[in-house]
């Protein structure tokens, strides 16, 4: 699990798998690469899986960013540093916004796209924007309660809170600012790569209707609705998310994506 020097600073990433297309998974606001931990292991047999900490998060160098475009530039720098010219790109929440920005701005770099708990616009409640720095613990507690299904076990919620509290509050606020300004609703028709949209039907942070809109407006996309889970299906129901990503990676490979690209 190395850190690599890029033109955007040092970026840490976890990597598993030696064969198949490159799959890059991007975490959401306040998160880190561990949000994709289940998929890192589950998909290593069919893909070269890269799961970075975005700038300012986890073990990657500060600062964080305050726009989705700036995070997209950091991901491009990571791809270049790792010698990855074309990848299957998966993103969760804010990561899905970054993935969309990359697929629209750098279509030659993205062979297939997975959007988990995403939307073409990601509005953020003003209480979260201010509270994450002025009342961090209470705001994180509220975010977690809105991110997981009511049936999520207490230990899962406790781990989620502890993980988000590891993020520097100003970095987390920058993430939320970036999400709140994100809007590609008028650009979705330009997407041409295979796309899979994954969402929990109990998502309170980015409700199901946002994924339904993505599915309607991205031609040829596949919609996977995971029953009984909230905004974190990668953690709440990892096997179903991994199965959907496996199908997308296999589709990309069948279209001629060279191993290790």
């Amino acid at each position: 699990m190395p850190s690599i020097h890029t033109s955007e600073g040092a970026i840490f990433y976890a990597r598993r798998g030696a064969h198949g297309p490159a799959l890059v998974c991007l975490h959401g606001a306040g998160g880190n690469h561990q949000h994709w931990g289940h998929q890192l292991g589950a998909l290593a047999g069919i893909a070269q899986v890269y799961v970075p900490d975005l700038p300012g998060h986890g073990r990657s160098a500060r600062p964080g960013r305050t726009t989705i475009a700036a995070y997209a530039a950091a991901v491009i720098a990571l791809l270049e540093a790792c010698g990855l010219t074309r990848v299957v790109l998966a993103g969760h929440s804010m990561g899905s916004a970054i993935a969309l920005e990359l697929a629209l701005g750098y279509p030659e770099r993205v062979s297939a796209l997975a959007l988990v708990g995403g939307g073409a616009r990601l509005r953020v409640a003003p209480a979260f924007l201010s509270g994450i720095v002025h009342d961090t613990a209470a705001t994180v507690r509220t975010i977690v309660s809105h991110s997981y299904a009511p049936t999520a076990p207490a230990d899962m919620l406790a781990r989620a809170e502890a993980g988000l509290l590891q993020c520097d509050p100003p970095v987390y606020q920058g993430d939320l600012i970036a999400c709140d300004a994100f809007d590609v609703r008028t650009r979705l028709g330009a997407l041409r790569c295979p796309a899979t949209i994954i969402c929990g039907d109990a998502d309170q942070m980015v409700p199901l209707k946002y994924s339904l809109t993505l599915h309607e407006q991205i031609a040829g996309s596949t919609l996977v609705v995971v029953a009984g889970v909230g905004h974190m299906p990668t953690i709440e129901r990892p096997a179903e998310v991994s199965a959907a990503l496996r199908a997308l990676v296999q589709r990309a490979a069948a279209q001629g994506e060279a191993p290790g690209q």
Side-chain angles (χ1 to χ4, degrees), residues 17-36:
H19 306 287
L23 168 65
V24 178
C25 302
L26 307 175
H27 64 76
N32 58 54
H33 74 280
Q34 294 176 341
H35 284 183
W36 288 99

Side-chain angles (χ1 to χ4, degrees), residues 86-251:
R86 191 163 165 82
V87 302
V88 179
L89 193 58
H92 168 253
S93 196
M94 181 181 78
S96 75
I98 299 167
L100 275 169
E101 186 73 26
L102 285 164
L104 289 164
Y106 304 87
E108 72 284 357
R109 307 299 293 261
V110 180
S111 62
L113 185 64
L115 307 172
V116 184
R121 188 175 188 188
L122 297 175
R123 297 295 300 274
V124 177
F128 291 167
L129 285 167
S130 61
I132 201 62
V133 291
H134 297 299
D135 194 358
T136 303
T139 302
V140 163
R141 193 175 307 116
T142 301
I143 288 173
V144 169
S145 72
H146 283 72
S147 295
Y148 288 79
T151 54
D155 61 337
M156 181 180 288
L157 301 181
R159 287 194 300 271
E161 286 188 27
L164 292 179
L165 287 171
Q166 290 176 5
C167 186
D168 189 24
V171 172
Y172 202 158
Q173 185 183 52
D175 291 352
L176 298 179
I177 290 169
C179 288
D180 194 52
F182 176 71
D183 187 351
V184 294
R185 289 175 294 176
T186 63
R187 300 168 61 195
L188 292 178
L191 290 170
R192 294 292 181 267
C193 64
T196 295
I197 298 149
I198 305 169
C199 57
D201 66 355
D203 192 336
Q204 298 180 67
M205 294 294 285
V206 184
L208 174 61
K209 65 180 182 180
Y210 290 88
S211 289
L212 295 176
T213 298
L214 287 173
H215 178 48
E216 290 169 0
Q217 297 188 8
I218 300 175
S221 62
T222 298
L223 177 66
V224 177
V225 179
V226 186
V229 302
H231 190 54
M232 303 296 297
T234 59
I235 295 173
E236 291 185 88
R237 203 73 60 78
E240 293 185 39
V241 174
S242 296
L245 291 177
R246 185 177 296 108
L248 183 66
V249 168
Q250 290 170 337
R251 184 177 174 187

Side-chain angles (χ1 to χ4, degrees), residues 62-82:
R62 285 175 170 75
R65 307 293 192 264
T66 58
T67 68
I68 297 301
Y71 275 124
V75 175
I76 287 293
L78 174 65
L79 299 186
E80 292 176 348
C82 292

